[in-house]
């Protein structure tokens, strides 16, 4: 079934792939980005200038759509409250526009007590990304407190490689022994979930 979907962070490495997969699946896509010139034109794609922290502008962009995908990402180790500020604005905009379905990409690092985190991830990677994970957790908390129909897609280490199509998915914990996933696999999972709606109000974690 074809739907109208907004992709926030559509110019990012994962966001671009989500846009491409959604278009390939026959959906009508609106890419919400700060710099529209960074998104190439495509059939079925509309590009809108928007700041993820600007609730009023997001409301205008989101209105008339069926779902929102949030694929925003901070450029470095400091989140600068991007995820939490973005969540507040997105929730407000979706409420005002009457749109309920939200898929947001966070990370398996959000759950600090995940029993399947590898020792090197727990000891090396998590401390480096502590500010990012903390703000992603705030993002999830803000969205959970809303009445939106949300799904948090939590990838493991993202790789720019060919898709495996053989990844595993578990709810709210890293698949045992898993530590990586390709961005294309994540994009395909997100677009599949737009149609399947199997993970409502859950946090699917993805890993090979």
């Amino acid at each position: 079934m074809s739907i109208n979907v907004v992709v926030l962070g559509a110019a990012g490495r994962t966001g671009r792939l989500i846009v491409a997969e959604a278009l390939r699946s026959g959906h009508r896509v609106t890419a919400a980005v700060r710099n529209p010139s960074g998104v190439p034109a495509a059939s079925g794609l509309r590009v809108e200038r928007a700041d993820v922290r600007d609730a009023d502008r997001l409301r205008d962009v989101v209105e008339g759509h069926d779902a929102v995908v949030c694929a925003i990402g901070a450029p470095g180790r400091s989140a600068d409250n991007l995820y939490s500020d973005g969540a507040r604005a997105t929730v407000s905009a979706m409420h005002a526009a009457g749109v309920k379905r939200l898929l947001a990409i966070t990370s398996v690092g959000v759950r600090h007590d995940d029993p399947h985190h590898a020792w090197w991830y727990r000891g090396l990677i998590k401390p480096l990304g502590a500010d990012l994970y903390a703000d992603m957790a705030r993002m999830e908390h803000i969205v959970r407190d809303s009445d939106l129909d949300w799904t948090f897609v939590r990838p493991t280490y993202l790789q720019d490689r060919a898709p495996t199509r053989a990844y595993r998915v578990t709810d709210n914990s890293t698949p045992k022994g898993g530590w990586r996933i390709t961005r294309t696999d994540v994009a395909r999972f997100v677009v599949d979930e737009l149609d399947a709606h199997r993970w409502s109000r859950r946090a699917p974690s993805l890993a090979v």
Side-chain angles (χ1 to χ4, degrees):
M1 180 179 68
S2 177
I3 66 171
N4 297 312
V5 57
V6 175
V7 180
L8 307 178
R13 285 185 291 172
T14 304
R16 289 196 302 266
L17 295 171
I18 292 171
V19 168
E21 288 294 330
L23 291 172
R24 191 174 296 117
S25 295
H27 300 309
R28 293 173 295 277
V29 180
T30 298
V33 294
R34 287 178 297 176
N35 181 12
S37 65
V39 180
S43 177
L45 175 65
R46 190 174 87 198
V47 182
E48 295 282 353
R49 185 186 301 276
D51 187 326
V52 74
R53 291 181 165 104
D54 185 341
D56 291 337
R57 177 60 185 140
L58 287 181
R59 179 196 61 219
D60 294 340
V61 173
V62 167
E63 193 165 13
H65 289 77
D66 302 297
V68 175
V69 174
C70 183
I72 60 175
R77 292 186 203 167
S78 174
D80 193 28
N81 296 322
L82 174 67
Y83 301 99
S84 52
D85 287 349
R88 290 186 191 92
T90 300
V91 168
S92 175
M94 292 179 69
H95 280 160
V99 179
K100 292 291 188 181
R101 185 72 172 123
L102 172 65
L103 285 80
I105 298 175
T106 59
S107 169
V108 295
V110 167
R111 182 178 172 186
H112 67 88
D113 62 345
D114 189 325
H116 298 144
H117 281 163
W119 66 267
W120 53 266
Y121 183 87
R122 194 184 308 275
L124 300 175
I125 304 301
K126 282 201 70 178
L128 290 175
D131 186 66
L132 298 173
Y133 298 141
D135 199 43
M136 287 179 186
R138 287 190 288 270
M139 175 191 200
E140 290 195 1
H141 181 74
I142 291 164
V143 174
R144 287 177 194 273
D145 279 350
S146 75
D147 63 353
L148 296 180
D149 178 8
W150 50 264
T151 297
F152 299 122
V153 179
R154 294 177 176 173
T156 43
Y157 176 66
L158 287 165
Q159 295 185 315
D160 296 304
R161 294 185 178 182
T164 66
R165 299 183 177 86
Y167 58 87
R168 295 168 292 145
V169 186
T170 54
D171 185 28
N172 196 38
S173 68
T174 303
K176 190 172 183 179
W179 62 275
R180 59 189 170 90
I181 185 79
T182 73
R183 292 182 189 275
T184 301
D185 281 327
V186 172
R188 289 178 176 174
F189 176 87
V190 168
V191 174
D192 286 347
E193 177 59 15
L194 285 172
D195 294 325
H197 212 138
R198 288 187 295 258
W199 294 89
S200 177
R201 292 184 168 263
R202 294 198 285 170
S205 302
L206 282 58
V208 174

